[in-house]
Amino acid sequence: MSKSKATMRDIASAADVSVTAVWMVIHNRPGISPQTAEKVWSAINELNYKPRKSNGSAKLETVGLLIEQSSIPAISDVFYGDVIRGVQSEAENLNMRVVLSVFDRNKRGFDFNGLIHDVSGVVVANDGDLPAQAVLQLEALDMPVVLVESYIADRNLPCVLGDNFMAGYQITRHILKLGHRDIAILKGPSKYSSLVDRLRGCMAAMAEEHLLFPPEWMPEPLSGHPVKGYVQMREILASDHRPTAVIAISDKTAIGAMEAIREAGLHIPGDIAIGSIDNTGESQFTRPPLTTVHIPKYEIGMLAMQKLNRIIVGENTISFKSVVYSELIVRNSCGATERSR
């Protein structure tokens, strides 16, 4: 082996430690014993490895966060704000900085080459307006990539997801257990794989009871509208008969729907129960507080950053889909307390 071509993986092998341990020693991170550090530096000297640190480390210490234009301002978004904060927090722990890049589908020629020259890896948040081809272009340029709340069905790319299918299943089972059978659902845009998986979970729970959502109670979301749930709920309430319960695909959708229900002079949960998915900060302050399924958004961001770092430092890891568990949060909007009495 030529000493001039030694890699971080070679150092790890020579010192009999993980690549992550080598990276931590080079970057003076805590948690490494003096004995391990001595072995690593001995291997570095023996193999004449030149760590890319300090002056030459701008690429090593910077990662990109690629997000679609429609999620901006992303940091204040009810869902992605927490994901971004998780990415940022873990990046700081790893002595890295995060550069936000925005993909605008209405503009041609996104500069992927410019992006990869500035960063050592990219977290891609969501799909939606970010087409699979954009992600595959990053992969073709040998850029380490981790997907958040999205995946490409026929490609084994590393990704971190909430358990969206189970979240849809959980909220639907909860409403069914309360005795509801006339149930409507407020879908999300089909371009988001996470929302499609939630819908599939809802439908699976209904199918177990040999039930279907009536087509007139499954209104399509209005593209580009800021309060889709409000518009969808108005459409349902205009039908010949109304449901006793509504499942919203997200808290943001549910909050809009609750406004439409109150505007129609109806009461929640007395006239219509409602449940949703996300457990955003706003959900506990609605009137009444919203029953929802918790998706651990901050933790998803942290895990994505950890996974990206392992790829960047050259640790041998197979690509796998990490799914973070969801949890049903029962509040008053479904009337669980009243019905149980």
Side-chain angles (χ1 to χ4, degrees):
M1 175 179 60
S2 173
K3 290 183 178 181
S4 62
K5 293 184 179 180
T7 66
M8 200 178 293
R9 187 175 292 119
D10 296 328
I11 303 304
S13 178
D16 194 25
V17 298
S18 69
V19 177
T20 300
V22 175
W23 184 90
M24 293 176 72
V25 169
I26 291 172
H27 290 80
N28 197 30
R29 305 303 294 166
I32 297 294
S33 70
Q35 294 82 1
T36 298
E38 183 178 348
K39 287 197 301 181
V40 170
W41 285 117
S42 177
I44 287 173
N45 292 331
E46 180 183 344
L47 298 178
N48 196 30
Y49 177 70
K50 303 298 182 184
R52 289 186 295 171
K53 193 181 177 187
S54 298
N55 294 336
S57 66
K59 180 177 174 62
L60 187 66
E61 295 178 350
T62 304
V63 295
L65 176 61
L66 182 59
I67 196 166
E68 60 177 345
Q69 174 66 36
S70 60
S71 293
I72 301 299
I75 199 64
S76 62
D77 183 84
V78 292
F79 186 94
Y80 274 94
D82 281 346
V83 173
I84 292 171
R85 282 183 280 274
V87 170
Q88 179 66 44
S89 174
E90 190 60 25
E92 290 176 359
N93 291 337
L94 294 167
N95 199 30
M96 294 180 169
R97 66 188 184 98
V98 178
V99 175
L100 183 66
S101 296
V102 180
F103 183 91
D104 188 348
R105 66 174 180 175
N106 297 316
K107 293 183 180 180
R108 290 186 176 183
F110 183 84
D111 186 13
F112 284 104
N113 286 302
L115 173 63
I116 67 170
H117 288 150
D118 294 333
V119 300
S120 55
V122 180
V123 174
V124 180
N126 216 341
D127 36 20
D129 290 338
L130 266 166
Q133 189 57 42
V135 177
L136 297 178
Q137 187 173 345
L138 286 172
E139 184 191 29
L141 293 169
D142 293 325
M143 172 58 61
V145 174
V146 174
L147 308 182
V148 167
E149 279 295 86
S150 69
Y151 55 91
I152 301 175
D154 57 347
R155 300 298 287 264
N156 294 331
L157 293 173
C159 56
V160 183
L161 316 168
D163 197 351
N164 291 295
F165 179 91
M166 185 54 65
Y169 181 87
Q170 285 174 303
I171 190 62
T172 307
R173 286 300 309 167
H174 177 68
I175 288 176
L176 287 166
K177 285 180 180 179
L178 294 175
H180 294 284
R181 292 298 180 268
D182 296 329
I183 305 171
I185 187 162
L186 307 181
K187 302 189 295 181
S190 59
K191 64 184 179 180
Y192 295 106
S193 57
S194 58
L195 301 188
V196 171
D197 285 345
R198 293 179 183 186
L199 176 62
R200 289 170 176 162
C202 296
M203 297 178 77
M206 291 286 280
E208 286 183 352
E209 300 295 326
H210 307 288
L211 296 171
L212 295 171
F213 295 109
E216 64 271 22
W217 290 349
M218 296 181 65
E220 295 293 333
L222 186 61
S223 178
H225 200 286
V227 281
K228 297 180 180 67
Y230 174 83
V231 176
Q232 289 171 290
M233 195 68 231
R234 287 280 302 265
E235 184 176 335
I236 290 172
L237 293 174
S239 61
D240 293 336
H241 61 292
R242 68 170 185 255
T244 64
V246 176
I247 299 168
I249 214 69
S250 69
D251 286 358
K252 186 176 181 179
T253 300
I255 291 170
M258 293 171 83
E259 178 61 28
I261 292 170
R262 285 191 295 267
E263 192 178 90
L266 301 171
H267 295 90
I268 304 169
D271 295 313
I272 299 179
I274 185 167
S276 66
I277 301 167
D278 276 338
N279 192 33
T280 58
E282 291 84 349
S283 64
Q284 60 184 313
F285 301 113
T286 57
R287 295 182 294 114
L290 184 61
T291 291
T292 184
V293 178
H294 176 67
I295 301 292
K297 303 165 285 297
Y298 185 86
E299 290 80 0
I300 286 174
M302 290 184 63
L303 286 171
M305 189 62 241
Q306 291 170 6
K307 187 185 291 283
L308 182 64
N309 178 61
R310 289 196 294 271
I311 299 172
I312 290 170
V313 302
E315 189 172 294
N316 277 323
T317 59
I318 60 172
S319 293
F320 58 89
K321 183 187 294 185
S322 300
V323 179
V324 185
Y325 287 113
S326 57
E327 178 187 0
L328 178 67
I329 307 296
V330 178
R331 300 193 181 107
N332 297 333
S333 67
C334 286
T337 303
E338 292 86 341
R339 286 176 180 269
S340 64
R341 283 202 291 261

